[in-house]
Amino acid sequence: MTDRFVLRSVGEAVATLTLNRPEVLNSCNRQMVDELRAAFADAAADDGVRAVLLTGAGRAFCAGQDLAEAVPPAGEPTPQIGDIVANYNALIRAMRGLEKPVVCAVNGVAAGAGANIALACDLVLAADGASFIQAFSKIGLVPDNGGTFFLPRLVGTARATSLMMLADKVGAAQAAEWGMIYRTVPAAELMTTARALAVELATQPTRGLGLIKRALNATWANDLDRQLDVEEALQREAGGTADYMEGVRAFQEKRRPRFVGR
Ligand code: T3D
């Protein structure tokens, strides 16, 4: 598949993925979602990639579904809405299933599917001028891309309900204050800061970070008893990694550890 709408580059063990349809605020057409899902699958398969950085080209992060594709001009075939959503679901599953840290640099507005793709990342940084809009209700739709899963868990049901029903725009500062995202960054520093964070993560015990992600994925569906079992199983796995040995040795030898991600 050609990378027409998602630019990809790999450096310092970080795969940088840039949504690239700036003329329509990086709204998602079918091919862009396919390319993005393929990029996450490739990141999972490539041992040389230990973290992912996702951002958007131009002034927006992503304005959600390309509405020109969802409801095309008369005479052109209209895609089944269920097929569009199934394709997004495959993307969100690929993102949450990728056992490597995913940093999101929200460089501008993140609306509809775009907002929820951002919330599916592990560490979300937003430029101070960026914003999040659960735009779905304004066009008669329901939040998708995991929005009804992530948002109430991040900000609580009362705030999630108001954001989903009123489609209010939430500025980056408020999103951070509400716990929707990790932090805001001055716009001019966003990419440097997000990249430094992704590179730093890529030098860490990334197998262990992937297992933390697996534990967090599991926690929402589990009671304490089951989650303790999950932790035990994951700790056995983490305890078998070379990075665990290296971490302990480095501590004992009072030196910086050299983690390899295994
Ligand atoms: O089938 C399905 O739809 C199922 C899947 C649903 C998932 C979803 O994501 S539903 C939600 C879809 N997204 C939206 O409803 C958001 C629509 N966009 C906006 O509300 C606004 O554009 C923004 C608030 C995001 C930004 O506003 P603003 O004033 O900064 O920019 P703008 O002037 O509205 O947009 C700039 C251009 O981008 C403009 O094109 P033009 O006039 O310069 O040729 C606009 O049409 C285009 N654009 C923005 N969003 C979309 C889009 N084109 C296609 N699809 C979009 N989503």
Side-chain angles (χ1 to χ4, degrees), residues 213-233:
K213 185 165 177 174
R214 203 192 298 172
L216 290 172
N217 283 338
T219 193
W220 305 117
N222 282 343
D223 57 20
L224 174 62
D225 203 43
R226 280 195 198 160
Q227 193 65 15
L228 288 172
D229 289 341
V230 168
E231 289 178 2
E232 182 183 328

Side-chain angles (χ1 to χ4, degrees), residues 79-178:
Q80 289 290 320
I81 194 161
D83 295 343
I84 293 177
V85 175
N87 201 33
Y88 281 121
N89 285 351
L91 168 65
I92 300 299
R93 288 187 173 109
M95 292 174 70
R96 292 308 312 167
L98 172 66
E99 292 192 340
K100 299 178 184 181
V102 179
V103 175
C104 188
V106 180
N107 51 305
V109 66
N116 293 336
I117 289 169
L119 298 185
C121 296
D122 298 310
L123 290 162
V124 184
L125 277 62
D128 46 11
S131 57
F132 298 81
I133 313 172
Q134 295 291 325
F136 309 87
S137 60
K138 290 290 181 204
I139 54 169
L141 290 181
V142 173
D144 56 18
N145 283 267
T148 61
F149 181 89
F150 298 119
L151 200 55
R153 286 168 170 83
L154 290 167
V155 303
T157 308
R159 283 171 172 161
T161 306
S162 71
L163 294 178
M164 290 180 188
M165 289 197 173
L166 302 175
D168 286 341
K169 182 193 280 196
V170 181
Q174 187 158 52
E177 193 187 319
W178 283 4

Side-chain angles (χ1 to χ4, degrees), residues 4 9 46 49 70 76 89 109 128 132 161 171 182 200 214 218 247:
R4 190 168 159 208
S9 63
D46 185 346
V49 169
E76 289 182 28
N89 285 351
V109 66
D128 46 11
F132 298 81
T161 306
Y182 170 41
E200 165 69 13
R214 203 192 298 172

Side-chain angles (χ1 to χ4, degrees), residues 6-45:
V6 179
L7 306 179
R8 293 198 230 185
S9 63
V10 178
E12 297 177 273
V14 174
T16 301
L17 312 178
T18 306
L19 306 176
N20 191 36
R21 301 182 75 212
E23 67 285 359
V24 284
L25 307 188
N26 303 317
S27 59
C28 300
N29 60 11
R30 170 82 196 211
Q31 186 174 336
M32 183 195 258
V33 177
D34 287 345
E35 287 180 19
L36 193 54
R37 193 182 47 178
F40 277 101
D42 288 352

Side-chain angles (χ1 to χ4, degrees), residues 205 235 238-259 262:
Q235 204 68 296
T241 61
D243 281 344
Y244 169 56
M245 286 294 116
E246 168 64 6
V248 174
R249 282 200 190 104
F251 175 79
Q252 289 169 338
E253 294 163 14
K254 301 189 188 305
R255 61 171 172 79
R256 277 176 67 84
R258 288 178 297 273
F259 296 119
R262 295 189 301 276

